[in-house]
Amino acid sequence: AFLMQGFTLLIKSIVEVAPTKLQESIDVLKANLFDVGNAHALELGLKGKLNGEPAEYLAFVKKKAASIEADMCFGAIFGGGTENEIKALSQYGRILGILTTLREEFIDVFEIEELAQKMNIDRLPIPMIFAMQDPKTKKEIEKILLKKRIAKKDLETIIDTVFEAESVKKLKKEMEDFAAQAIYVLRILQGKELCKQLELWVSSMLEDL
């Protein structure tokens, strides 16, 4: 009921604020909702897969990021942005969504409670899955995960093992590339202060990783 009411209010708002963008807005909403729905379906399929391909997890992350892309796109439309500005902010939103999701996955490795919750739902944090592509690393991590209780020392071992993995280093480099790409697309926007805030926002996703 809330979802339907939300759609109704959104359409009314578009008609009042940007009537010429009505069909475009509906298309954006539909495409991004499908992506978010597919992301949830993909995540269900990833449960219990310790040998999942990294590409599968990145596909899930990219689709999940559609929600923030939609937020940025509608913000640009309601703010009276040009076609190029709407496109740029949509691209920025998708990348920000990717970085936000990956950052949350990294944080889950650092916290025992979050890691335990991931284990309970049978879906380990993405950096751990990446690290476990290496058979030796996988063996070290699985030995700890089989314990009834993970101690602080075990968590430190997991963190060190994960962050030393080459695949995780490559993932962090890919995140840096995404951030650089997001900052690049902002060049079309007017207003240096706005661009500075958006650049800071996306750069903060890489802090302390």
Side-chain angles (χ1 to χ4, degrees), residues 10 13 17 19 21 26-27 59 70 72 87 102 110 120 126 138 140 145 150 156 158-159 161 175-176 180 192 199 209:
L10 177 63
S13 298
V17 179
K21 299 290 184 181
I26 291 174
D27 291 341
M72 296 299 295
K87 183 178 179 181
L102 288 175
F110 286 96
N120 286 335
I126 289 175
K138 181 182 177 182
E140 292 177 10
L145 295 181
I150 298 177
E156 291 172 354
I158 288 177
I159 293 171
T161 304
M175 290 175 69
E176 292 172 1
K192 291 183 179 179
E199 288 176 13
L209 293 183

Side-chain angles (χ1 to χ4, degrees), residues 11-31:
I11 298 303
K12 285 183 178 179
S13 298
I14 295 169
V15 170
E16 292 175 5
V17 179
T20 60
K21 299 290 184 181
L22 179 59
Q23 188 58 52
E24 179 184 349
S25 300
I26 291 174
D27 291 341
V28 167
L29 181 63
K30 182 171 73 172

Side-chain angles (χ1 to χ4, degrees), residues 171-184:
L171 177 59
K172 289 170 67 177
K173 176 62 171 61
E174 192 166 355
M175 290 175 69
E176 292 172 1
D177 292 341
F178 274 127
Q181 184 182 344
I183 291 171
Y184 178 76

